[in-house]
Amino acid sequence: MGVNSSRDREPSAIRIEVGELLLDGFRADPERVSAAFESELTRLVRLHGVPLAAGGPLAIDALSGLPPLPAGLSARRLGQELARVVHEGLSGHGEVGR
């Protein structure tokens, strides 16, 4: 997962690359989950930024130690909740592997 930003000013662009989302125990349509995830993560980054990248470009291999999600969520809701969990990780919550 890579995040790019600028050190001296608000970044003109933030790029987040998510290599893989592992959905174990969920029956939701992966494409719908992915679309909802991307939309919600984009909204959260626009609204709150990426606090861990405030000091400059940042590369993260994995986010762990984040809360589990209930298995019965719809694809849209699962994507939104995953985005919120990932954004929390990018905000300094959970464990970051670099």
Side-chain angles (χ1 to χ4, degrees), residues 11-93:
S12 59
I14 295 174
R15 186 183 75 208
I16 299 174
E17 295 176 18
V18 178
E20 179 179 59
L21 288 173
L22 179 60
L23 303 175
D24 188 23
F26 294 93
R27 294 185 176 196
D29 176 2
E31 289 183 23
R32 291 182 66 209
V33 172
S34 181
F37 173 82
E38 185 176 334
S39 177
E40 181 66 5
L41 188 56
T42 298
R43 185 187 76 78
L44 291 169
V45 168
R46 283 186 179 143
L47 189 62
H48 302 292
V50 180
L52 283 182
L58 173 70
I60 298 172
D61 289 330
L63 294 173
S64 60
L66 300 173
L69 297 172
L73 296 175
S74 70
R76 183 182 63 79
R77 184 73 180 171
L78 178 57
Q80 290 171 335
E81 291 301 319
L82 282 169
R84 290 180 186 133
V85 167
V86 167
H87 189 264
E88 281 212 13
L90 295 174
S91 297
H93 306 288

